[in-house]
Amino acid sequence: MATKLEKTLRREISIGGKPFVVSLSPQGLKLVGKGRRKGLELSWEDLTSGDAALATALNASVAQRRVLEPSANNRPNRYSAARRRRR
């Protein structure tokens, strides 16, 4: 028996060595570069209604020119790592 998805579930993944966050919610799924707010969204209805609707939804998301790159704030800083070692 599967557990019902009642609230948002977030997981970090690495794609091409870059960190991303995948969010699964009762409304759909969202892929966002780590440290960003906006990303690609796809509703479950669009996903299950067929190839034509899926292509339309993906094209609409890409047309909005969302930046999927992770934020520059998520890169390790050599200075902060050296400072942590001294403590």
Side-chain angles (χ1 to χ4, degrees):
M1 185 170 172
T3 304
K4 199 174 227 180
L5 183 62
E6 295 176 348
K7 56 185 176 179
T8 302
L9 175 68
R10 291 185 181 151
R11 293 292 183 260
E12 182 178 331
I13 61 171
S14 179
I15 302 172
K18 297 178 182 178
F20 291 87
V21 176
V22 175
S23 301
L24 299 173
S25 70
Q27 293 77 33
L29 63 95
K30 185 175 183 178
L31 177 66
V32 181
K34 188 170 180 185
R36 303 270 182 185
R37 293 184 183 184
K38 297 179 180 179
L40 296 176
E41 294 184 53
L42 188 59
S43 73
W44 298 122
E45 291 175 7
D46 290 341
L47 186 62
T48 58
S49 63
D51 292 339
L54 178 60
T56 303
L58 286 173
N59 287 334
S61 294
V62 172
Q64 294 174 1
R65 296 188 177 262
R66 300 281 186 216
V67 177
L68 281 181
E69 291 293 318
S71 173
N73 295 334
N74 289 316
R75 295 187 191 135
N77 186 346
R78 288 183 295 164
Y79 173 73
S80 63
R83 191 173 189 177
R84 274 187 251 134
R85 277 185 258 151
R86 282 189 239 145
R87 289 184 183 176

